[in-house]
Amino acid sequence: MTRFIPAQIASWTGGILLQTPEHQTQTDRFYRGISTDSRKLLGGEIFLALRGERFDGHDFTQEAIEKGAGMLILDERSEEAMKLYHKLLRGQDVPDLLLVEDTLDAYQRVAEGYRQTLLATVIGITGSVGKTTTRRMIATVIGEQLRCHETEDNKNNQIGLPLTLLEAVDQDQVIVAELGMDRPGEIGVLSEVAHPDIAVVTAIGYSHAAQLGTREAILAEKTDIIKGMKPNGLILLNGQDEYLTEWAKQAAPTRAIWRVSNEALTTDEIPDSPVFWAEDVEVDCQQTKFRLRASLDPSLQHEVVIPAPGNHLVRAALFALASAYFLGLDMDQAVAGCAKFKNTGGRLRLIETPQHILIDDSYNASPESVSTALDTLTLVAGERRAIACIGGMRELGNYQSELHRQIGQKIAGLNLAAVYLIGEEAKDILAGMQEAGSAIACAHFESSEDAANALLPELKTGDVVLLKGSRFYEVEKIAKAILAAEE
């Protein structure tokens, strides 16, 4: 059970601790946890009031008191803080108060302080694409031998990462945490909260180009994951990413950098950067297979089997196996762990029905992930009819039109029966298909509901349907419509 003591919380946050005389004399006083949600608060826990765009946690201070909060962490300028402070001066019984300048910063400082008390190895994962798949693969592989705690769902931002750390317990041996961003500068902040022992950077793509502007700026943001690392920490990079390769050349003399690759790489380019790579890659509609190799250990040769299709899974497995090797784990067991991998909802998940195969990759979309999804579609379909339902990609800034056109040009070279495009941005996919002289039947729709209504009458038994798009377009509604029609 987690136990926070008053002086500890005050020290981590730099806040002002105010207590009743009775509480001050309780030398064994502690709090059982910390919560930012008054609905989930348990008696004796700390309630920390966060402010968001559509809510203010300070509005729920009284509810937290009624639920038996042991401490309240509040903005020192808030009306609630002033009211409780005056009650304390009048000798009334109130929970312990910790007044801080910024409650979000305080939350992160508590998480950082708690992380420093844990003996667990922290593996931090960032990148433009593939974070969640890589996180799930690492947790699955390492979880075969060590007690592993990982980020839940998509809790990888300035609030989610601290929550991930604070939900860990002393018994956890490894924490696998995603580091995501909404605004520039956030990866460095999160790194200084998590202090990763192993930092994984999956790729430098175009996601967040709208906020960051250029791929060089995206590279700088993602590689900021090393900001909170110890000097002897390990950096694991995608060795096939040209931006990360150039960055590694500069960083290698002072940092331990290992690279992973879906094909053999020379170590001459970065002499002190070992490579884990895949040979004899085979992908079919049921599984992905490859042989694991490593430059630092020629004897390391294992047949790896992943029970899902996709070349992108090879790199995720290599990140996991390299992490396991660095941690000194049994590699036979680590390889066996890959066979237990399962995709999370909305990420290249195969749904087989009596009439169709759906490839649900509706969680989100970037140029890299759309390309991967299209390759998976053609692979799974084989001789069957392949249909792509693709929503527009967002947050691509000045690259938006060009990248959508490139997807259209790629589609033109595939053996697809039909393409259903959704959203304003996707009009450029159609333009790219037309520029490439595509003869594939293609229709454009404003919404996923409209696309579903047009698609359902055209479906044939045995069709393989890909569902891919930015969250904004809710492409998963097409899957629900298909499944409902089959009931």
Side-chain angles (χ1 to χ4, degrees):
M1 181 182 70
T2 303
R3 291 181 177 225
F4 296 121
I5 61 175
Q8 183 184 51
I9 298 294
S11 175
W12 287 343
T13 62
I16 301 172
L17 176 62
L18 302 173
Q19 296 176 292
T20 65
E22 180 184 356
H23 290 175
Q24 290 177 14
T25 61
Q26 295 173 349
T27 57
D28 59 348
R29 185 170 177 78
F30 68 92
Y31 319 107
R32 300 178 183 277
I34 182 169
S35 177
T36 61
D37 188 339
S38 60
R39 297 168 297 180
K40 299 178 181 179
L41 183 74
L42 300 177
E45 290 188 333
I46 300 168
F47 174 67
L48 185 143
L50 288 174
R51 285 194 171 101
E53 293 180 0
R54 296 180 297 275
F55 71 91
D56 185 346
H58 293 81
D59 294 340
F60 304 97
T61 300
Q62 186 56 41
E63 181 181 345
I65 294 172
E66 292 171 359
K67 285 193 170 184
M71 170 185 273
L72 303 169
I73 300 181
L74 306 175
D75 186 319
E76 61 188 11
R77 297 174 299 275
S78 67
E79 181 180 346
E80 292 76 15
M82 292 301 99
K83 287 180 179 178
L84 289 168
Y85 173 63
H86 288 299
K87 285 185 178 182
L88 186 65
L89 290 179
R90 292 194 296 268
Q92 297 181 35
D93 185 25
V94 299
D96 295 343
L97 292 177
L98 187 68
L99 306 184
V100 298
E101 292 185 7
D102 184 313
T103 53
L104 175 58
D105 180 71
Y107 190 44
Q108 293 170 351
R109 298 288 74 78
V110 171
E112 179 188 11
Y114 180 62
R115 181 266 182 268
Q116 303 282 29
T117 70
L118 299 171
L119 298 178
T121 297
V122 175
I123 301 177
I125 303 165
T126 194
S128 298
V129 65
K131 292 188 294 296
T132 299
T133 299
T134 300
R135 183 255 297 170
R136 288 293 307 122
M137 186 73 77
I138 292 175
T140 300
V141 168
I142 291 178
E144 285 293 290
Q145 300 178 61
L146 299 175
R147 175 163 171 157
C148 192
H149 172 68
E150 64 172 311
T151 299
E152 289 186 6
D153 301 323
N154 196 36
K155 297 174 182 175
N156 61 11
N157 59 14
Q158 292 204 76
I159 297 173
L161 176 74
L163 178 62
T164 295
L165 296 172
L166 290 165
E167 287 180 341
V169 297
D170 289 339
Q171 292 78 16
D172 291 322
Q173 296 168 291
V174 176
I175 300 171
V176 187
E178 283 185 47
L179 279 67
M181 59 154 287
D182 294 315
R183 300 175 181 83
E186 290 186 348
I187 297 297
V189 170
L190 296 181
S191 178
E192 292 183 324
V193 172
H195 295 287
D197 300 288
I198 300 174
V200 176
V201 187
T202 62
I204 303 301
Y206 293 91
S207 296
H208 301 297
Q211 295 97 324
L212 296 170
T214 66
R215 291 184 78 183
E216 288 77 12
I218 295 169
L219 171 69
E221 177 70 19
K222 300 302 183 182
T223 53
D224 249 4
I225 192 173
I226 73 171
K227 197 169 184 179
M229 290 184 70
K230 298 175 183 177
N232 60 348
L234 173 68
I235 303 170
L236 281 175
L237 301 178
N238 175 355
Q240 293 173 282
D241 187 296
E242 60 179 327
Y243 285 86
L244 288 173
T245 297
E246 290 303 312
W247 180 85
K249 290 177 184 178
Q250 305 300 319
T254 58
R255 292 282 188 171
I257 297 175
W258 293 5
R259 295 175 291 158
V260 307
S261 172
N262 286 33
E263 59 189 32
L265 292 179
T266 175
T267 58
D268 297 340
E269 195 173 25
I270 311 176
D272 296 321
S273 178
V275 180
F276 284 71
W277 77 91
E279 289 184 350
D280 304 323
V281 178
E282 298 179 16
V283 184
D284 59 35
C285 64
Q286 299 296 326
Q287 63 183 13
T288 303
K289 297 171 60 177
F290 67 92
R291 176 177 289 275
L292 170 67
R293 300 294 307 277
S295 62
L296 49 67
D297 187 353
S299 67
L300 189 67
Q301 298 192 38
H302 292 270
E303 294 294 333
V304 181
V305 179
I306 306 165
N311 280 308
H312 67 292
L313 296 176
V314 175
R315 185 173 296 117
L318 290 169
F319 277 127
L321 294 167
S323 299
Y325 189 91
F326 181 75
L327 293 172
L329 303 185
D330 181 283
M331 292 305 293
D332 288 328
Q333 291 186 55
V335 167
C338 292
K340 298 183 179 181
F341 172 79
K342 293 181 180 179
N343 266 326
T344 56
R347 291 180 172 87
L348 276 177
R349 183 168 60 99
L350 263 66
I351 304 172
E352 297 189 52
T353 76
Q355 298 181 43
H356 309 105
I357 297 176
L358 308 183
I359 303 175
D360 181 7
D361 198 23
S362 57
Y363 176 74
N364 215 333
S366 67
E368 299 83 5
S369 65
V370 172
S371 180
T372 295
L374 287 165
D375 289 338
T376 303
L377 169 63
T378 58
L379 179 70
V380 171
E383 298 301 316
R384 290 168 290 203
R385 290 204 331 151
I387 298 172
C389 301
I390 303 177
M393 301 176 289
R394 297 169 69 86
E395 298 185 355
L396 298 177
N398 294 331
Y399 298 103
Q400 179 176 295
S401 178
E402 174 191 350
L403 293 172
H404 281 85
R405 286 173 181 266
Q406 288 178 9
I407 293 297
Q409 291 162 6
K410 177 183 177 73
I411 289 174
L414 301 177
N415 183 25
L416 303 186
V419 176
Y420 292 74
L421 302 175
I422 302 116
E424 185 67 24
E425 300 89 348
K427 290 179 179 178
D428 281 318
I429 296 179
L430 177 58
M433 292 175 64
Q434 293 170 341
E435 289 167 1
S438 174
I440 299 171
C442 182
H444 177 269
F445 304 90
E446 293 301 320
S447 71
S448 292
E449 291 92 336
D450 292 341
N453 291 334
L455 171 63
L456 287 176
E458 302 299 325
L459 282 178
K460 298 179 181 180
T461 299
D463 284 353
V464 181
V465 183
L466 169 67
L467 309 163
K468 182 67 175 173
S470 288
R471 289 292 310 126
F472 180 82
Y473 290 111
E474 300 178 304
V475 183
E476 68 275 7
K477 289 182 177 179
I478 301 176
K480 293 177 181 177
I482 295 173
L483 295 173
E486 291 193 20
E487 291 180 352

